[in-house]
Amino acid sequence: MSHVFHRSLSTSYPVAMAGDGPHLIDAEGKRYLDACGGAAVSCLGHADAAVIAAVQRQIATMAYAHSSFFTSEPMEQLADFLVARAPSGIDSVYFVSGGSEAVESALKLARQYFVERGQPQRRHVIARRQSYHGNTLGALATGGNAWRRQQFEPLLIGVTHVSPCYAYRDQPAYETEGDYVARLGQELEDNIAALGADNVMAFIAEPVVGATAGALPAVTGYFQHMRDICQRHGILLILDEVMCGMGRTGSLFACEQEAITADLICIAKGLGAGYQPIGAVMVSKEICDTIRAGTGFFQHGHTYIGHATACAAALAVQQQIEERDLLSNVRAMGGLLKERLHARFDDHAHVGDIRGRGLFLGLELVQDRASKQPFDPARRLHARIKAHAMQGGLMCYPMGGTIDGLHGDHILLAPPYIIDASHVDELVDKLGKAIDASLR
């Protein structure tokens, strides 16, 4: 009997013992192709020698110094690296330990920004249904997945949720992309008006929705339109790139592909690639300057923010990605993987949609392709696929509740940036077998 309070107390987990590039190895010596990076985390694969050496050097020198007393070279260097490559307007970085902390920090930073600007009435946040922004209470409240929120609703702050940009299900065949974007924009405008434009502090969205919708990108022009609406009303735009950022979609920041910037950008997962726990909020110059000229103090903090070893690990990860030009491989292998998925599943009776960008791809499963009817949730198809995939030596990220938190199943794929064509073939072959076995 394990004394670990595991995620599932009714599951017996294999023991992970070692990593080898894109594979994990359990205590029995079985190898698993990590086609999801755990949760889109292990972008550099496992046991990268350069990152391990950087962590060892930092620990040998100084593992940790509390940020209320000191800064550190790794923290300063990582901030410089990120800001130099960030979208326009981003000027500083607030380091935390993970994605939920990053979103929580962004919400509080947005609130303090408006308090210091003399607009304390701005308190409302608008987010999107079927989004996921983390599991701390503020981040969970902001997320739009009904199942994840349900039992904790009495503890959550009120957040307004609008429709996601979910063209596969919500854009009729007769509606152009431009008209669809306009309709979603009007919904945002209507909700801003209902709350009072001067009372809204932020709109938050994932550029490519990850865990709850399965690598769901927006249609062309959507984010530019949302950004324009926010700017017109003086509302901050928070982009949650915790899962889709740091190169996962083929550019370092996912919003680069939308040709926009933001006031706050949340990153984590691929920032440190799992070698250390780390996340961050990228902060605009306007927000930083406002607080510097006001109280000069962000009323927030966690013990491990700016952790020296975590920053050293993340800097080494990002340097490896850049020096080895791995984003080119993300684009090339992402294109190949998408091509192979289409070849394998375009004629599959129960794969309704294949979507995503770079090495961040998803498959939506349906009972009937013509009507897009989902499977009965009681069947727990996503859980069956995960079990069969693990039996076959494949780690993927299937989830249920794709449509509304209850109905719908999808599979999220987020393999390491280091994969080659042989890994793509292995992934598609094992995934096809797992899906077919689960549907028998």
Side-chain angles (χ1 to χ4, degrees):
M1 177 68 71
S2 173
H3 291 286
V4 176
F5 197 114
H6 286 288
R7 283 174 176 253
S8 171
L9 300 179
S10 60
T11 299
S12 178
Y13 296 95
V15 180
M17 295 295 290
D20 178 22
H23 292 89
L24 280 168
I25 306 166
D26 71 15
E28 306 300 320
K30 182 176 177 178
R31 298 174 69 88
Y32 303 80
L33 178 63
D34 187 356
C36 59
V41 173
S42 302
C43 62
L44 204 56
H46 304 278
D48 185 273
V51 181
I52 291 170
V55 171
Q56 291 172 333
R57 286 193 302 270
Q58 187 58 46
I59 288 177
T61 304
M62 181 195 69
Y64 165 75
H66 198 284
S67 62
S68 68
F69 297 91
F70 297 97
T71 187
S72 69
E73 286 189 353
M75 179 162 57
E76 297 290 346
Q77 291 168 357
L78 179 58
D80 288 347
F81 183 100
L82 292 170
V83 169
R85 292 154 180 80
S88 64
I90 297 295
D91 192 57
S92 58
V93 190
Y94 185 85
F95 290 109
V96 292
S97 299
S100 296
E101 283 186 18
V103 170
E104 201 85 10
S105 300
L107 295 171
K108 292 175 78 173
L109 192 49
R111 170 62 182 166
Q112 184 168 336
Y113 166 74
F114 282 116
V115 169
E116 301 222 6
R117 280 178 58 87
Q119 300 179 53
Q121 80 283 356
R122 286 195 185 261
R123 65 191 186 278
H124 292 294
V125 176
I126 300 177
R128 303 189 301 177
R129 292 187 293 278
Q130 284 310 97
S131 59
Y132 178 67
H133 297 297
N135 259 335
T136 54
L137 289 177
L140 184 64
T142 306
N145 183 275
W147 175 78
R148 292 173 186 261
R149 294 166 51 95
Q150 186 175 14
Q151 68 174 319
F152 302 109
E153 286 282 358
L155 307 180
L156 303 183
I157 61 171
V159 173
T160 298
H161 290 91
V162 297
S163 298
C165 188
Y166 192 175
Y168 172 67
R169 289 199 172 272
D170 297 343
Q171 181 187 354
Y174 59 80
E175 189 174 42
T176 67
E177 280 193 352
D179 288 342
Y180 181 42
V181 167
R183 177 161 62 85
L184 292 175
Q186 189 59 54
E187 182 184 354
L188 179 60
E189 289 272 21
D190 291 345
N191 278 271
I192 291 171
L195 294 167
D198 290 342
N199 297 323
V200 180
M201 72 176 190
F203 172 63
I204 181 170
E206 299 163 90
V208 182
V209 183
T212 54
L216 181 64
V219 301
T220 302
Y222 169 83
F223 273 102
Q224 290 179 339
H225 190 42
M226 300 301 117
R227 174 66 172 169
D228 290 345
I229 292 171
C230 289
Q231 288 183 316
R232 189 163 64 254
H233 294 293
I235 296 167
L236 296 182
L237 175 61
I238 304 174
L239 292 181
D240 180 350
E241 296 203 6
V242 167
M243 190 171 262
C244 65
M246 293 292 94
R248 174 56 60 190
T249 62
S251 54
L252 189 60
F253 293 90
C255 62
E256 294 176 46
Q257 297 174 47
E258 307 295 344
I260 64 164
T261 185
D263 301 290
L264 297 158
I265 303 175
C266 302
I267 56 176
K269 298 189 187 292
L271 174 60
Y275 288 88
Q276 290 283 292
I278 188 168
V281 184
M282 308 289 293
V283 185
S284 73
K285 187 176 188 302
E286 165 65 22
I287 292 174
C288 187
D289 285 350
T290 297
I291 292 177
R292 181 183 287 115
T295 63
F297 176 75
F298 181 26
Q299 192 178 329
H300 181 57
H302 298 282
T303 299
Y304 294 117
I305 63 174
H307 193 286
T309 305
C311 288
L315 180 60
V317 167
Q318 296 308 312
Q319 289 171 335
Q320 285 295 299
I321 291 171
E322 186 165 279
E323 291 168 10
R324 292 158 60 181
D325 194 22
L326 290 178
L327 296 191
S328 291
N329 198 55
V330 171
R331 293 188 290 269
M333 290 300 104
L336 180 63
L337 177 55
K338 202 171 208 180
E339 178 185 308
R340 294 281 198 272
L341 290 171
H342 278 292
R344 175 64 175 82
F345 297 111
D346 271 357
D347 295 326
H348 196 289
H350 301 295
V351 175
D353 192 30
I354 298 170
R355 55 184 177 241
R357 294 178 185 163
L359 285 174
F360 196 48
L361 300 174
L363 292 80
E364 184 166 342
L365 301 158
V366 291
Q367 175 71 56
D368 178 73
R369 288 181 63 168
S371 66
K372 302 180 184 178
Q373 178 188 348
F375 284 94
D376 183 344
R379 186 168 181 172
R380 290 184 54 77
L381 179 61
H382 58 282
R384 291 166 60 88
I385 291 171
K386 181 178 180 180
H388 281 290
M390 285 290 283
Q391 288 171 15
L394 177 71
M395 293 168 57
C396 60
Y397 196 132
M399 286 292 295
T402 311
I403 302 168
D404 56 10
L406 175 63
H407 300 92
D409 299 272
H410 68 261
I411 303 164
L412 183 66
L413 300 172
Y417 304 170
I418 60 172
I419 62 168
D420 60 29
S422 69
H423 301 125
V424 170
D425 291 339
E426 179 185 355
L427 190 167
V428 175
D429 177 61
K430 289 182 174 179
L431 181 62
K433 290 176 180 176
I435 291 174
D436 290 344
S438 302
L439 290 166
R440 292 193 186 110

